[in-house]
Amino acid sequence: MVSKRLFLTLLIGLASLPAQASLNVFACEPEWADLAGILVPEARMTVATSAYQDPHYIEARPSLIAAMRNADIAVCTGASLEAGWLPSLLRKAANRDIQPGRPGLFFAADQVPLHQPHDHVDRSMGDVHPEGNPHVHLDPDALPRIADALAERLASISPEQATDIQRRLLQWKVRWNLSKAEWRDKADDLKGMTVGVQHSGFHYLLRWLDVDVAFDLEPKPGLPPSASHLNAVLQDPDLPEASAIMVALYQDDRPAHWLSERTHLPVLVLPGTVTGKEAATSLESLLSHLVNELHQLAPKQTVESDG
């Protein structure tokens, strides 16, 4: 009897133990850490960048090299977004499982068509990505396709978790589609709106919302706003039609405020990715926050009465 009770106690105890971290995940950007964390919440996660950093430019510091060396999978954007630092990180980490062409290196941009691809690029065009705009994490339609591909990749690396990964994927897609329906409702009020931007970070979401970009504070992609370009924007005939100037958290907002002082356009300093706090704790809340910020600027809708 004592042995049976001891066995049952041990069994109950084992069942109540938290799941062990079975995967080491290296995420190049916070949005992919969020998505991977939904699919494998027990994983140990390292995130290379934050919402307060330009993901194009970071240092391959020793702590990141060590994390990449021990990772089971690296989840990155691709499309040359990390071209300035990821190849060096991969080389120094020397993790055979995480190299181009290996299952351990997952690029989100490889899973969906990108906007604005180029057959030819050169330095005169600025920091242009030949594959297309890499900031695809703000496309409400692309995210489920990327999540599908990531779930499949994670399951191939950790087959014992495949069932749980698939279950979490389906649960996430239900939540995502419910949120997308809310964003679509608000998008109806945004049709015809135009905004100014600084870089193309928000373009996927703006395109999905049918919000046009009236001007860009960057004279060319990746180049900082110059005085001559800002003065040219000030003379742009489309400027009076704009509703706001959108700037990401990591960007210098002084050019936007310079323009705002002369035009009275509001400046929206917004997270371009998951911050882990306040309104952007996840991809879902991030997009809701961005849509809500724009919706507050939408022309007031007239309610028709029967009388």
Side-chain angles (χ1 to χ4, degrees), residues 52-75:
Y52 302 92
Q53 292 176 296
D54 185 342
H56 296 81
Y57 311 105
I58 68 163
E59 181 184 354
R61 55 188 187 274
S63 60
L64 294 181
I65 296 170
M68 182 68 88
R69 183 173 297 138
N70 295 320
D72 297 297
I73 184 171
V75 185

Side-chain angles (χ1 to χ4, degrees), residues 7-250:
F7 174 76
L8 290 173
T9 301
L10 287 172
L11 191 62
I12 293 171
L14 287 172
S16 63
L17 284 174
Q20 299 298 304
S22 55
L23 285 177
N24 291 320
V25 176
F26 183 101
C28 288
E29 290 84 25
E31 58 265 29
W32 308 129
D34 177 64
L35 193 59
I38 289 166
L39 299 172
V40 283
E42 301 88 1
R44 285 184 287 265
M45 196 74 65
T46 299
V47 190
T49 60
S50 78
Y52 302 92
Q53 292 176 296
D54 185 342
H56 296 81
Y57 311 105
I58 68 163
E59 181 184 354
R61 55 188 187 274
S63 60
L64 294 181
I65 296 170
M68 182 68 88
R69 183 173 297 138
N70 295 320
D72 297 297
I73 184 171
V75 185
C76 302
T77 297
S80 303
L81 180 68
E82 304 98 347
W85 54 273
L86 185 58
S88 172
L89 197 62
L90 292 173
R91 186 175 62 256
K92 292 177 180 177
N95 184 335
R96 295 179 58 185
D97 293 331
I98 301 180
Q99 296 295 326
R102 301 283 296 172
L105 184 55
F106 179 91
F107 287 124
D110 287 351
Q111 316 306 321
V112 290
L114 302 183
H115 296 158
Q116 302 171 317
H118 297 271
D119 294 330
H120 167 77
V121 298
D122 59 54
R123 296 184 65 83
S124 69
M125 300 166 68
D127 187 15
V128 173
H129 301 262
E131 303 91 340
N133 185 337
H135 306 290
V136 70
H137 64 288
L138 294 183
D139 185 336
D141 291 331
L143 260 295
R145 297 174 61 180
I146 295 171
D148 283 339
L150 180 58
E152 183 177 350
R153 186 72 60 88
L154 288 167
S156 72
I157 293 173
S158 183
E160 68 278 11
Q161 297 192 68
T163 301
D164 288 336
I165 290 170
Q166 188 63 27
R167 173 177 53 79
R168 293 171 188 134
L169 171 66
L170 294 175
Q171 291 171 339
W172 176 82
K173 289 172 82 170
V174 169
R175 296 195 302 272
W176 187 263
N177 287 331
L178 289 172
S179 293
K180 196 166 77 169
E182 295 178 3
W183 304 331
R184 182 58 73 194
D185 285 344
K186 291 184 177 177
D188 290 340
D189 298 336
L190 301 178
K191 287 181 179 175
M193 178 186 284
T194 65
V195 296
V197 298
Q198 183 169 327
H199 198 59
S200 57
F202 297 108
H203 278 199
Y204 280 94
L205 179 61
L206 294 174
R207 190 170 186 264
W208 192 84
L209 294 169
D210 205 12
V211 173
D212 291 330
V213 174
F215 59 86
D216 194 328
L217 300 184
E218 293 183 339
K220 293 181 180 179
L223 299 184
S226 62
S228 60
H229 180 68
L230 289 175
N231 277 304
V233 171
L234 197 56
Q235 304 304 319
D236 191 323
D238 293 332
L239 184 65
E241 303 300 323
S243 297
I245 308 169
M246 298 176 68
V247 181
L249 279 179
Y250 72 85

